[in-house]
Structures are given as C-alpha cells and as structure tokens.
C-alpha cells in the first residue's frame, strides 16, 4: 500500500527546528549501545539482508542492495555496538528538490518496541525536510500503517491513490 505523507507547515517547522525534540535523544540511544550511521560505510550488507528477511522481506542480492544504496539520497541505520550489526534501517530516494519516497524501513524483531523505528523515521524525515523536500511518500504493509500516522503520514490523502506497475506473466497457450 502506498501511504503518501503530506507534511503540514506546523510539523515541518517542528522537524526543521535546530532544537527539535526527538522521541528519544541520540544520547539516550548511545547510552543503550545504539549508534546512528548516515552512510553505507561500515554497513555489512549480509547483516542488513538478515534484518530484511527477519521482518518478512525477500532475501536480496547483496550486489543489488549495494547498487540501490549507491543511488539512495538519504539513509539512516542504527548499529548495535555490542554486535556491530545493523538493527534498524531506512532510506529515501527522490529528485532532491520536491519529492522523496521512503523505502525499506526495518527494525530487527529482537529490537522492536523500544523506539528505534520512530527514531530512524524522525531523523530521516528531518533530513528530507531540511533539504526543502516536503512531498514525501512511503510504501508500507497495511498492518503497520498505524506506525506512520503519528509521524504525519496519511493513506490516500484527498482521494489520491498510488499505483504500481505490475508485470503479469502471460498464460502459455
């Protein structure tokens, strides 16, 4: 399902404020052993792939993941210092001016429920909004749409429906 986030002016200013408050501070997360990373440097793609699989995504070719990340405008991942493995991840692609789409928002199931997903999304949204990008969309499983609503996302705003191209296999005669 496509959930398209139209960020209100109030929310935009809250995200753009240099003193904006996150639901959990960087310091609080660091004191618990979680480190934010904003580049692919040090990101083990096999470990990231394991997180994808753990949340129900299909296993992906690591070379294709690398290529996708090289074409990503903004990304954020959380490393757990005790294991030096990624435990949360999100990325965005777009035109760099008006539009962005958020992809691959994942939190390792062992670390869900402690605020990492929200922390990653808050920081990724702040990064996009500070660049002036305010038309932000994301793809989400219907079962987790409620997670994104408090962040300002709405499903099908103003009746807008997302569409995706689907190549159907032809029946053999």
């Amino acid at each position: 399902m496509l959930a398209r986030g139209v960020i209100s002016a109030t929310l935009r200013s809250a995200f753009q404020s240099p003193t904006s408050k996150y639901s959990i501070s960087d310091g609080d997360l660091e004191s618990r052993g979680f480190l934010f990373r904003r580049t692919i440097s040090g990101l083990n793609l096999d470990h990231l792939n394991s997180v994808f699989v753990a949340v129900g995504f299909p296993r992906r070719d690591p070379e294709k993941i690398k290529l996708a990340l090289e074409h990503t405008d903004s990304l954020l991942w959380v490393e757990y210092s005790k294991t030096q493995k990624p435990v949360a991840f999100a990325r965005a692609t777009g035109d760099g001016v008006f539009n962005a789409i958020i992809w691959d928002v994942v939190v390792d199931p062992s670390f869900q429920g402690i605020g990492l997903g929200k922390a990653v999304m808050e920081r990724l949204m702040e990064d996009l909004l500070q660049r002036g990008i305010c038309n932000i969309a994301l793809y989400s499983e219907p079962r987790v749409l409620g997670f994104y609503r408090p962040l300002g996302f709405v499903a099908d705003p103003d009746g807008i429906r997302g569409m995706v191209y689907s190549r159907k296999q032809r029946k053999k005669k």
Side-chain angles (χ1 to χ4, degrees):
M1 166 167 281
L2 177 70
R4 185 167 179 264
V6 180
I7 307 300
S8 70
T10 304
L11 187 54
R12 184 182 305 127
S13 65
F15 272 113
Q16 289 179 337
S17 167
T19 60
S20 70
K21 302 287 187 224
Y22 298 125
S23 58
I24 184 167
S25 73
D26 291 5
D28 286 343
L29 287 167
E30 287 176 21
S31 73
R32 295 161 59 186
F34 299 108
L35 307 170
F36 283 104
R37 305 287 187 219
R38 293 186 179 272
T39 69
I40 61 173
S41 177
L43 177 59
N44 181 305
L45 300 182
D46 290 325
H47 293 158
L48 178 60
N49 218 354
S50 295
V51 178
F52 287 156
V53 170
V55 300
F57 288 11
R59 183 166 297 281
R60 299 172 177 177
D61 177 339
E63 285 302 312
K64 287 185 177 183
I65 294 173
K66 182 177 184 248
L67 186 60
L69 295 181
E70 289 170 354
H71 291 90
T72 292
D73 298 315
S74 183
L75 69 85
L76 191 91
W77 59 284
V78 177
E79 176 183 359
Y80 188 46
S81 60
K82 290 183 182 177
T83 61
Q84 296 183 329
K85 292 182 179 179
V87 295
F89 178 88
R91 68 187 185 100
T93 60
D95 60 23
V97 180
F98 302 111
N99 304 293
I101 298 177
I102 296 175
W103 305 93
D104 302 328
V105 180
V106 294
V107 177
D108 184 307
S110 301
F111 294 88
Q112 290 178 359
I114 59 173
L116 294 179
K118 187 173 184 180
V120 166
M121 283 296 297
E122 288 170 340
R123 287 156 179 84
L124 186 62
M125 292 290 299
E126 180 179 54
D127 179 54
L128 295 171
L129 292 167
Q130 284 179 344
R131 294 182 197 193
I133 299 168
C134 58
N135 185 25
I136 302 168
L138 66 88
Y139 284 93
S140 173
E141 296 290 327
R143 63 184 170 78
V144 295
L145 285 176
F147 168 77
Y148 297 103
R149 286 188 179 106
L151 295 169
F153 288 90
V154 295
D156 305 323
D158 302 321
I160 296 171
R161 297 281 178 169
M163 297 179 73
V164 295
Y165 173 77
S166 177
R167 186 182 326 172
K168 295 188 179 196
Q169 292 184 342
R170 295 182 178 195
K171 293 181 183 178
K172 293 183 180 179
K173 294 184 179 183

